[in-house]
Amino acid sequence: MNEYVLFFIALVPIVWLIVSLGVLKLPAHKTCLFTAFLSLLIAIIFWKMPVIDGVTASIEGMAIALWPILLVIVAALFTYNLACETKTMDVMKTMLSSITTDNRIQVLILAWGFGGFLEAVAGYGTAVAIPASILASIGFNPIFAAVICLISNTVPTAFGAIRIPITTLATVTNLDVVQLSFITSLQLAGFIILIPFLLVILTERNIKAVKGVF
């Protein structure tokens, strides 16, 4: 089969996941289970993957999702809830928001800096949910706060959740993790420089906004 056709076939589960969650608003647990089954079916039919290999690969994927990915999420949620219960989160909000009243600097500190830190230590949505909630609590539009944090989170994701994406990719491709990390860092270098400027421009909706914080 033509490699271009295979490429578009491989996109089917990803497209379905986006449409089912974002457009059709289907429950995540149902659509993700169906997507996993669809991916397995495509692998067996179009890539001629042996059924036993496909089933065992699916089981391995579930195991990886439970350990360490789910473990990291549970730990992050526990830490966040503990911080809220002990009022430590309120102290962090006050401290982070009192550094400056300039919206551009607040976005850089909370969405880019603090969000990047959260992505590194926890990942899986915490880098968007927590900074966005803090930005909303200090007066930012909630939708804008969520969007700006999503944009900020594009670069840190490669090394998110204690570098799980990189180590997983190194494992499945048998590539050296240090070399892979180096190449990934080179690929992201331009975006690391560009995105802070983009965040400032989006915050003030004016390219001239960069001048004041350059």
Side-chain angles (χ1 to χ4, degrees):
M1 188 177 292
N2 188 287
E3 60 182 11
Y4 295 107
V5 175
L6 288 174
F7 170 76
F8 285 108
I9 291 174
L11 286 179
V12 169
I14 300 172
V15 172
W16 160 250
L17 192 63
I18 294 171
V19 171
S20 60
L21 291 174
V23 180
L24 301 179
K25 309 295 183 184
L26 297 177
H29 66 282
K30 291 182 179 179
T31 190
C32 289
L33 184 62
F34 178 78
T35 304
F37 178 74
L38 178 62
S39 301
L40 175 61
L41 208 60
I42 289 174
I44 293 171
I45 295 173
F46 294 100
W47 271 268
K48 310 301 179 185
M49 188 178 194
V51 176
I52 187 68
D53 289 351
V55 172
T56 53
S58 300
I59 294 172
E60 182 183 2
M62 293 177 189
I64 291 174
L66 290 171
W67 185 282
I69 293 175
L70 191 59
L71 177 66
V72 173
I73 297 172
V74 170
L77 289 173
F78 172 78
T79 304
Y80 177 72
N81 288 332
L82 183 64
C84 289
E85 186 67 25
T86 58
K87 307 301 181 183
T88 308
M89 186 56 67
D90 293 336
V91 175
M92 291 174 63
K93 287 180 181 179
T94 303
M95 180 188 70
L96 291 170
S97 61
S98 64
I99 295 173
T100 177
T101 56
D102 190 321
N103 287 348
R104 298 167 297 179
I105 304 298
Q106 288 177 337
V107 163
L108 288 177
I109 292 172
L110 292 167
W112 179 246
F114 187 51
F117 166 74
L118 287 173
E119 179 62 32
V121 298
Y124 306 107
T126 58
V128 175
I130 296 175
S133 66
I134 296 176
L135 286 171
S137 70
I138 61 176
F140 284 83
N141 177 283
I143 300 297
F144 170 79
V147 170
I148 211 76
C149 288
L150 282 168
I151 295 172
S152 300
N153 197 41
T154 50
V155 171
T157 305
F159 295 95
I162 322 175
R163 54 71 180 121
I164 285 177
I166 289 292
T167 53
T168 302
L169 183 60
T171 301
V172 299
T173 57
N174 292 321
L175 295 173
D176 177 65
V177 68
V178 176
Q179 182 68 15
L180 186 60
S181 299
F182 173 68
I183 298 300
T184 304
S185 299
L186 289 180
Q187 292 174 332
L188 295 176
F191 294 102
I192 292 171
I193 296 170
L194 175 65
I195 288 179
F197 289 97
L198 178 62
L199 296 178
V200 169
I201 293 169
L202 290 174
T203 301
E204 294 296 321
R205 296 177 176 80
N206 191 333
I207 195 169
K208 293 181 180 179
V210 173
K211 184 180 179 181
V213 294
F214 183 75

